[in-house]
Amino acid sequence: TVQLEESGGGSVEAGGSLRLSCTAPGYTSTKCGMEWYRQIGGAQREWVSSIAPDGGPTYADSVNGRFTISEDEDKGTVYLHMTSLKPEDSGVYTCKAPPECTYCAPDHICQSSRFGFWGQGTQVTVSS
């Protein structure tokens, strides 16, 4: 099955910035949108941001004005640029391709899922 891959997590001080990336190594897809979620401690996973197929972004209130989601279609990469980070932003950030996404391998075998496709997450730690 398609496995998304996140990168760019790490440790920063409060007020710092990080840029997360999400790709689907070995696969290509048409623009179909992407979502970012985070899980903080043992809390339930929460939605952070989405980018629509037309590039339109939406954000959770907690990150609006500080985070920016974008997509480089040529690179097949979706980014989450996080600025003015706070300790409460610490957590595991995961990207998810929505069910509308179809990923195709070089052999032209394509996959889609009514559940979408998830990555395994990248850790973000913000110290005060």
Side-chain angles (χ1 to χ4, degrees):
T1 188
V2 176
Q3 179 74 62
L4 302 183
E5 185 174 285
E6 302 92 345
S7 62
S11 297
V12 295
E13 293 184 348
S17 300
L18 285 172
R19 188 180 74 164
L20 307 183
S21 301
C22 175
T23 61
Y27 293 90
T28 59
S29 72
T30 57
K31 290 184 70 172
C32 56
M34 189 66 70
E35 302 162 358
W36 283 98
Y37 292 80
R38 68 185 180 187
Q39 187 168 21
I40 300 172
Q44 193 169 3
R45 182 182 285 163
E46 64 176 4
W47 170 77
V48 174
S49 179
S50 296
I51 187 165
D54 65 359
T58 52
Y59 303 97
D61 289 344
S62 59
V63 306
N64 196 23
R66 299 188 298 122
F67 290 12
T68 303
I69 191 170
S70 62
E71 182 174 16
D72 185 328
E73 188 176 9
D74 291 338
K75 294 183 178 179
T77 302
V78 174
Y79 302 99
L80 185 67
H81 187 206
M82 309 184 295
T83 64
S84 301
L85 282 163
K86 306 174 182 179
E88 52 264 41
D89 293 318
S90 298
V92 177
Y93 285 71
T94 307
C95 58
K96 179 202 171 187
E100 295 78 15
C101 290
T102 297
Y103 287 92
C104 297
D107 60 5
H108 305 295
I109 295 177
C110 299
Q111 300 181 52
S112 62
S113 170
R114 63 190 179 99
F115 302 108
F117 297 105
W118 290 87
Q120 293 196 331
T122 185
Q123 177 71 46
V124 170
T125 302
V126 185
S127 59
S128 57

